[in-house]
């Protein structure tokens, strides 16, 4: 009895264990995150786990449809119409052959949404090897399918993009073995991936490079691949038609998190047009540069504010200073740049003209002395003009500077030769004049002397012969008068009427006189300042003679300033005063000391003076119906002459 009860108790316990296990198993089957199903050997579904029932919203038994097997009605109701036939065919085939079933298809969820499933089933056989059941497992792969599809789409787009960009794209293994070429690469160069492998299987990525450019490119490539640094090279690349085009090739390595190179990615861009345009530009720039450098002139360029930015070789050699020697543009300032090279006596005038041109944009032209590298100052003529952009804004000043030293020297020589000639001829005519005066005056003077002796004798005797003495004195008076007449006649020589006279403006004659005297003035470190009223009417006068008057008066003014240290300026001023034109020539000299004598012939205070200049000037002016006089100023003298507007002759 006791034994039986023990047995009973054991069995009960075993039953409880069994039930628990079954519950656990059924719980497991229902809770695994997959669909589990079971079919009969004929393919009739007999079990769906809970997740599958929940997904489909139906159990295996619910697929009973009159006229069709349950499997067929599952295919019809739950499988996507596009997949249903294949599902049926594959599963039926497996049921017949006993092979494992595996398929992906879209299964309809209870809410009508189809989701991709990956499904597998295997048969279970009895001890006789007959199939007793099919067990299937099916899990939702919708998200994975979507991700795969997205990836495929992205990859497709990327590939399209890579093939569409107007560049040749390639990749290689870390050791340089080509692994990919985009479509355009082959289209453009005609080379395929195989062509970039040498006959011995070693990589030949530069097979498309021009043989002449290959060694340099290979060197750069090898260095980049060795160091992992970026690869950038320009070479001529082969085209399908056998021509070569300049290309710019660049590549970078792709590294993993540990920094090891996984792949090299590169791109080649056609820059043939750019390189050719650059070459053409370089050539034309070179030609222009050569032109500028070989022109027989010194050329320079400056910024709109006058800072030098370029000096031709000839100018650099002349000055012996390069732009760099001046430091940063603007650092030394334009003023000190000019000071370094312009003669101190010309500096003020140059600065004035230069700043005027910079301020107004008017062309610049000036003659001045420029310091050569050896310290010698040479006369140059500088001209500059603006270069403007399409908005008419000044972008640059371009200038040319010509060495005119030899020309100036030759002119100076000519002028001093002319001057000495004039002086010689003046001296000669003075000698002649003196001789003739002496000759003409000598006779009456000799008679005066003889008669004076006679008169003395008549008065010295006892008794004095007054009658004879009186007669002798009368002769003396006669002879003295005839001597005075000689002098008057000579003076009359200078009062001759001058012909022909032309109607012209005093300003044009003043301009001529200024031109003639400018060089002498600068040689003597003096300046001429002209101030002529622009509205002066034309007058009839002898141009050469009036010019002679002007030159005489200017030169006298300059002579008077020879020892002056302050302002050394001769001013010329012309204006209308009622019905005459008044011309003033003023200086900063010592002033006139003997105003009552200076117009007399032969009056001079100069060592080499003739004393004829002012006398002649006055006679010329008077012969034109005008007047010439002098007046002193606080410093210096002013000589004024008038010319009547209604021309008169004397
Ligand atoms: P010269 O050529 O000998 O000087 P001019 O007739 O030209 O003869 O001048 C006569 C004199 O008048 C000069 O020697 C000088 O003393 C005086 N004179 C002329 N111009 C000036 C002047 N601008 N300032 C001072 N004195 C002058």
């Amino acid at each position: 009895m006791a034994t039986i009860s023990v047995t009973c108790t054991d069995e009960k316990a075993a039953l409880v264990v069994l039930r628990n296990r079954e519950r656990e198993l059924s719980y497991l089957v229902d809770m695994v995150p997959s669909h589990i199903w079971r079919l009969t050997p004929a393919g009739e579904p007999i079990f769906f786990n809970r997740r599958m029932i929940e997904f489909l919203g139906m159990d295996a038994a619910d697929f009973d449809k009159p006229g069709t097997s349950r499997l067929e009605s599952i295919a019809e109701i739950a499988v996507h119409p596009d997949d249903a036939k294949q599902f049926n065919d594959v599963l039926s085939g497996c049921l017949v052959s006993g092979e494992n079933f595996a398929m992906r298809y879209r299964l309809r969820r209870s809410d009508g949404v189809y989701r991709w499933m990956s499904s597998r089933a295997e048969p279970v056989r009895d001890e006789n090897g007959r199939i007793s059941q099919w067990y299937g497992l099916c899990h939702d792969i919708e998200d994975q399918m979507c991700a795969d599809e997205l990836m495929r789409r992205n990859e497709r787009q990327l590939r399209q993009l890579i093939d569409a960009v107007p560049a040749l794209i390639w990749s290689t293994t870390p050791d340089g073995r080509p692994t990919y070429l985009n479509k355009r690469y082959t289209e453009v160069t005609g080379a395929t991936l195989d062509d970039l492998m040498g006959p011995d299987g070693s990589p030949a990525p530069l097979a498309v490079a021009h043989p002449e450019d290959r060694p340099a490119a290979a060197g750069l490539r090898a260095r980049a691949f060795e160091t992992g640094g970026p690869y950038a090279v320009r070479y001529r690349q082969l085209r399908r038609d056998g021509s070569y085009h300049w290309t710019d090739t660049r590549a970078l390595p792709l590294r993993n998190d540990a920094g090891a190179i996984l792949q090299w990615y590169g791109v080649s861009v056609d820059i043939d047009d750019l390189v050719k345009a650059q070459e053409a530009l370089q050539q034309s720039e070179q030609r222009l540069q050569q032109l500028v450098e070989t022109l027989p002139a010194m050329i320079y360029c400056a910024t709109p504010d006058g800072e030098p930015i370029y000096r031709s070789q000839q100018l650099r050699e002349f000055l012996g200073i390069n732009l760099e020697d001046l430091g940063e543009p603007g650092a030394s300032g334009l003023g000190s740049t000019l000071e370094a090279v312009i003669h101190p006596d010309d500096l003020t005038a140059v600065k004035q003209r230069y700043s005027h041109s910079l301020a107004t944009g008017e062309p610049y032209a000036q003659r001045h002395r420029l310091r050569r590298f050896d310290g010698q100052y040479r006369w140059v003529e500088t001209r500059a003009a603006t270069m403007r952009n399409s908005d008419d804004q000044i972008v640059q000043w371009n200038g040319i500077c010509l060495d005119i030293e030899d020309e100036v020297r030759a002119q100076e020589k000519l002028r001093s030769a002319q001057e000495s000639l004039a002086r010689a001829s003046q001296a000669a005519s003075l000698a002649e004049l003196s001789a003739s005066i002496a000759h003409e005056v000598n006779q009456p003077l000799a008679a005066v002397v003889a008669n004076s002796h006679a008169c003395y004798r008549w008065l010295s005797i006892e008794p004095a012969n007054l009658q004879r003495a009186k007669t002798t004195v009368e002769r003396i008076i006669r002879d003295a008068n005839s001597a005075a007449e000689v002098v008057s006649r000579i003076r009359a020589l200078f009062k001759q009427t001058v012909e022909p006279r032309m109607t012209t403006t005093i300003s044009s004659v003043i301009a001529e006189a200024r031109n003639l005297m400018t060089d002498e003035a600068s040689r003597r470190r003096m300046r001429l300042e002209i101030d002529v009223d622009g509205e002066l009417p034309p007058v009839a006068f002898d141009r050469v003679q009036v010019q002679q008057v002007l030159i005489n008066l200017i030169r006298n003014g300059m002579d008077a300033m020879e020892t002056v240290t302050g302002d050394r300026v001769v001013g010329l001023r012309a204006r209308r005063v009622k019905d005459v034109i008044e011309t003033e020539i003023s200086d900063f000299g010592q002033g006139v000391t003997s105003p009552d004598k200076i117009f007399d012939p032969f009056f001079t205070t100069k060592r080499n003076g003739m004393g004829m200049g002012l006398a002649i000037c006055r006679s010329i002016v008077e012969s034109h119906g005008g007047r010439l006089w002098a007046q002193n100023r606080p410093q210096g003298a002013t000589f004024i002459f008038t010319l009547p507007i209604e021309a008169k002759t004397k």
Side-chain angles (χ1 to χ4, degrees):
M1 201 56 202
T3 312
I4 290 167
S5 73
V6 166
T7 309
C8 256
T9 314
D10 285 353
E11 268 179 11
K12 254 187 201 163
L15 215 60
V16 168
V17 168
L18 216 58
R19 267 202 204 115
N20 281 347
R21 195 168 299 156
E22 194 191 321
R23 212 175 20 251
E24 252 172 49
L25 270 177
S26 128
Y27 188 67
L28 183 74
V29 166
D30 280 339
M31 291 316 289
V32 283
S34 282
H35 302 170
I36 295 173
W37 41 274
R38 215 165 59 208
L39 305 179
T40 63
E44 287 293 299
I46 46 174
F47 172 79
F48 289 172
N49 73 344
R50 176 128 51 95
R51 288 200 186 263
M52 190 161 178
I53 295 167
E54 279 167 9
F55 181 89
L56 293 169
M58 296 165 96
D59 200 352
D62 299 333
F63 286 97
D64 256 339
K65 217 177 161 195
T68 51
S69 73
R70 212 179 281 160
L71 186 63
E72 283 166 347
S73 63
I74 286 179
E76 200 175 299
I77 294 166
V79 178
H80 192 283
D82 293 348
D83 305 333
K85 179 165 185 314
Q86 195 192 3
F87 172 79
N88 235 344
D89 292 351
V90 174
L91 191 54
S92 317
C94 291
L95 291 174
V96 173
S97 66
E99 281 172 22
N100 291 350
F101 166 79
M103 192 186 160
R104 289 179 168 196
Y105 51 84
R106 280 157 288 181
L107 200 61
R108 189 176 187 279
R109 207 166 54 186
S110 56
D111 57 1
V113 173
Y114 286 98
R115 288 181 71 84
W116 278 99
M117 298 287 160
S118 172
S119 187
R120 301 179 156 274
E122 283 183 18
V124 177
R125 298 173 187 272
D126 60 16
E127 56 273 19
N128 301 319
R130 274 201 304 269
I131 293 173
S132 58
Q133 299 257 321
W134 283 83
Y135 284 91
L137 183 75
C138 167
H139 52 252
D140 190 323
I141 55 162
E142 178 71 22
D143 295 343
Q144 188 195 333
M145 287 291 276
C146 285
D148 285 356
E149 177 54 29
L150 193 69
M151 219 156 81
R152 268 195 300 280
R153 212 173 39 234
N154 284 349
E155 199 186 314
R156 215 169 28 244
Q157 275 174 354
L158 214 61
R159 197 168 288 274
Q160 278 170 353
L161 180 82
I162 285 174
D163 285 336
V165 286
L168 314 189
I169 294 171
W170 48 266
S171 68
T172 72
T173 57
D175 58 353
R177 190 172 286 270
T179 48
Y180 170 79
L181 302 180
N182 73 343
K183 225 161 85 193
R184 194 172 285 270
Y185 194 109
T186 306
E187 278 169 9
V188 169
T189 63
T192 62
L193 207 52
D194 287 345
D195 297 331
L196 300 188
M197 298 301 285
D200 55 351
S202 60
L206 290 166
V208 290
H210 190 288
E212 285 173 14
D213 303 338
R214 215 173 282 163
L220 285 171
R221 194 172 193 277
R223 201 160 324 130
F225 275 72
E226 195 183 301
T227 60
Y231 169 51
V233 64
R234 278 184 175 196
Y235 61 79
R236 284 162 290 175
Q237 198 179 55
L238 185 65
R239 291 290 169 263
R240 205 177 253 282
D241 63 1
S243 65
Y244 284 93
H245 275 208
W246 277 102
T247 53
D248 186 71
T249 295
R250 281 155 198 274
L252 278 174
L254 172 76
R255 297 171 186 271
N256 64 12
D257 292 344
I261 294 176
L262 301 174
Q263 281 276 314
W264 279 84
Y265 291 104
V267 60
S268 294
V269 179
D270 191 325
I271 52 160
D272 207 51
D273 290 346
L274 188 76
V275 169
K276 295 215 168 110
Q278 268 174 358
E279 275 172 4
L281 208 69
Q282 257 166 14
Q283 270 174 12
S284 89
E285 199 184 307
Q286 230 165 29
R287 269 200 302 274
L288 272 174
Q289 178 92 8
Q290 277 169 356
L291 176 85
V292 168
E293 294 287 344
T294 53
L295 273 176
M298 299 180 276
I299 290 169
Y300 69 91
C301 302
T303 61
D305 334 324
E307 293 292 343
I309 46 176
Y310 167 77
R311 283 174 179 166
S312 69
Q313 196 186 344
Q314 301 210 18
L315 184 54
R316 294 196 300 272
E317 281 173 7
F318 181 97
L319 295 173
I321 29 175
N322 289 323
L323 278 182
E324 310 80 67
D325 302 339
L326 297 172
E328 284 293 301
S332 57
L334 180 59
S336 53
T337 310
L338 293 177
E339 261 156 40
V341 291
I342 309 279
H343 192 285
D345 292 345
D346 305 338
L347 193 60
T348 316
V350 167
K351 275 187 176 171
Q352 264 172 14
R353 280 236 40 129
Y354 207 52
S355 7
H356 176 75
S357 288
L358 289 181
T360 58
E362 281 173 23
Y364 167 84
Q366 184 77 4
R367 282 181 168 211
H368 59 84
R369 279 154 292 179
L370 191 65
R371 201 181 128 102
R372 204 167 61 177
F373 63 93
D374 55 2
Q376 188 198 332
Y377 282 100
R378 289 180 70 86
W379 279 97
V380 292
E381 169 144 8
T382 305
R383 285 165 185 269
T386 54
M387 189 163 86
R388 293 169 187 264
N389 64 13
S390 52
D391 298 335
D392 208 32
Q393 278 169 331
I394 297 174
V395 286
Q396 196 168 303
W397 281 89
N398 295 329
I400 184 165
C401 179
L402 291 168
D403 185 329
I404 53 162
E405 177 72 18
D406 297 342
E407 194 187 314
V408 169
R409 287 261 169 271
Q411 267 176 6
E412 244 170 42
K413 266 193 201 143
L414 187 69
R415 203 167 21 252
S416 69
Q418 274 171 344
E419 269 172 23
S420 25
L421 197 67
R423 237 175 274 128
S425 69
Q426 275 172 339
S429 53
L430 180 66
E432 254 171 49
L433 196 65
S434 315
S436 83
I437 294 168
H439 177 76
E440 293 217 30
V441 177
N442 214 20
Q443 249 182 313
L445 278 186
V448 167
V449 171
N451 282 324
S452 302
H453 283 298
C455 182
Y456 180 77
R457 275 197 309 275
W458 296 126
L459 291 176
S460 306
I461 55 167
E462 286 292 336
N465 189 335
L466 290 178
Q467 185 55 41
R468 299 298 289 263
K470 194 179 160 205
T471 316
T472 320
V473 168
E474 277 165 7
R475 284 197 195 125
I476 291 172
I477 294 170
R478 186 198 62 200
D479 291 337
N481 275 339
S482 77
E485 253 176 52
V486 171
V487 174
S488 301
R489 256 190 289 130
I490 292 167
R491 285 197 64 186
L493 272 181
F494 299 111
K495 296 201 171 184
Q496 278 168 8
T497 314
V498 260
E499 288 290 345
R501 293 187 175 174
M502 288 163 60
T503 303
T504 182
T505 55
I506 190 77
S507 52
S508 67
V509 185
I510 289 178
E512 277 169 15
R514 187 205 36 213
N515 287 348
L516 287 169
M517 295 305 289
T518 302
D519 288 339
E520 188 181 334
S522 69
R523 197 158 24 86
R524 298 173 75 173
R525 302 200 175 169
M526 292 175 190
R527 253 183 325 118
L528 296 180
E529 268 183 5
I530 315 286
D531 172 13
V532 176
D533 190 332
E535 303 291 331
L536 293 180
V539 189
F541 57 80
D542 185 320
R543 198 183 178 89
V544 176
Q545 288 195 336
V546 172
Q547 196 187 91
Q548 203 181 334
V549 170
L550 284 166
I551 289 178
N552 244 307
L553 297 177
I554 293 170
R555 199 168 272 147
N556 271 352
M558 296 203 295
D559 288 346
M561 294 189 297
E562 199 62 64
T563 53
V564 172
T565 45
D567 257 350
R568 289 151 72 94
V569 179
V570 175
L572 273 91
R573 187 160 166 243
R575 63 201 163 111
R576 181 183 182 152
V577 180
K578 295 185 187 153
D579 54 356
V580 296
I581 307 250
E582 226 177 43
T583 307
E584 285 179 11
I585 295 91
S586 48
D587 58 65
F588 290 85
Q590 75 278 18
V592 176
T593 39
S594 312
D596 49 339
K597 290 190 188 147
I598 52 169
F599 292 98
D600 288 349
F602 306 117
F603 175 82
T604 181
T605 56
K606 300 171 193 168
R607 204 150 51 90
N608 298 317
M610 277 196 298
M612 290 300 288
L614 288 178
I616 293 174
C617 287
R618 181 170 260 180
S619 79
I620 289 174
V621 171
E622 284 175 1
S623 76
H624 280 78
R627 284 198 316 118
L628 166 64
W629 71 97
Q631 60 195 39
N632 277 328
R633 307 190 303 139
Q635 198 208 332
T638 300
F639 282 75
I640 304 157
F641 70 87
T642 60
L643 289 174
I645 289 167
E646 286 291 322
K648 276 184 230 156
T649 50
K650 262 198 163 179

